[in-house]
Amino acid sequence: SDLCASSSSDDGSVVASSHAQAFLAELEASGKVLTKRDEKWWARFEELEEYKREHGDCIVPHKYKANPQLVTWVSTQRTFYRKKHLSSQRVEALEKIGFEWARPKGGAAEWVRGG
């Protein structure tokens, strides 16, 4: 899949998300054709996995300057989840990487970290 095109490093080792790749392989096997919207969603999911590899969690701070689009995407996933607009497959993918559906209540210190 084109989503994983940038997933190998110079030495050929796989860097990309194993979860995203597994879910995408499952989708392809089921015959589902990915829309541009699906592709964008999985690309952001991979960015979230990269964030987790770097920071140890999926709690992207509001002022995360390195990737403001990821901040918006994470917030949108929480909103869609609350409104029951997120597919069970996406919920499962996010939960597998330890996504937290509620924003931390630890105050500003939680959100400044990494920002």
Side-chain angles (χ1 to χ4, degrees):
S1 146
D2 291 332
L3 285 180
C4 301
S6 61
S7 65
S8 58
S9 65
D10 292 338
D11 66 2
S13 62
V14 175
V15 179
S17 137
S18 58
H19 291 296
Q21 288 178 342
F23 277 102
L24 288 169
E26 209 174 282
L27 284 173
E28 287 178 14
S30 73
K32 178 164 171 38
V33 176
L34 292 180
T35 63
K36 289 285 181 205
R37 183 175 287 171
D38 290 332
E39 289 176 6
K40 284 183 179 179
W41 194 92
W42 287 105
R44 288 280 183 252
F45 179 84
E46 287 188 327
E47 290 173 12
L48 181 60
E49 282 200 311
E50 181 61 34
Y51 177 89
K52 183 178 180 178
R53 278 192 288 278
E54 290 177 19
H55 301 276
D57 60 42
C58 294
I59 304 169
V60 182
H62 277 294
K63 296 184 180 185
Y64 184 57
K65 292 181 177 79
N67 190 342
Q69 294 88 355
L70 185 60
V71 175
T72 302
W73 184 84
V74 163
S75 176
T76 300
Q77 301 319 299
R78 289 189 177 112
T79 300
F80 282 6
Y81 179 77
R82 278 194 311 275
K83 294 182 176 184
K84 309 264 190 267
H85 293 300
L86 204 56
S87 74
S88 59
Q89 184 179 52
R90 290 180 179 183
V91 169
E92 181 184 347
L94 287 164
E95 288 181 345
K96 275 192 175 181
I97 64 168
F99 188 80
E100 296 187 30
W101 296 110
R103 289 186 4 196
K105 296 188 179 10
E110 271 297 322
W111 290 91
V112 172
R113 192 179 61 191

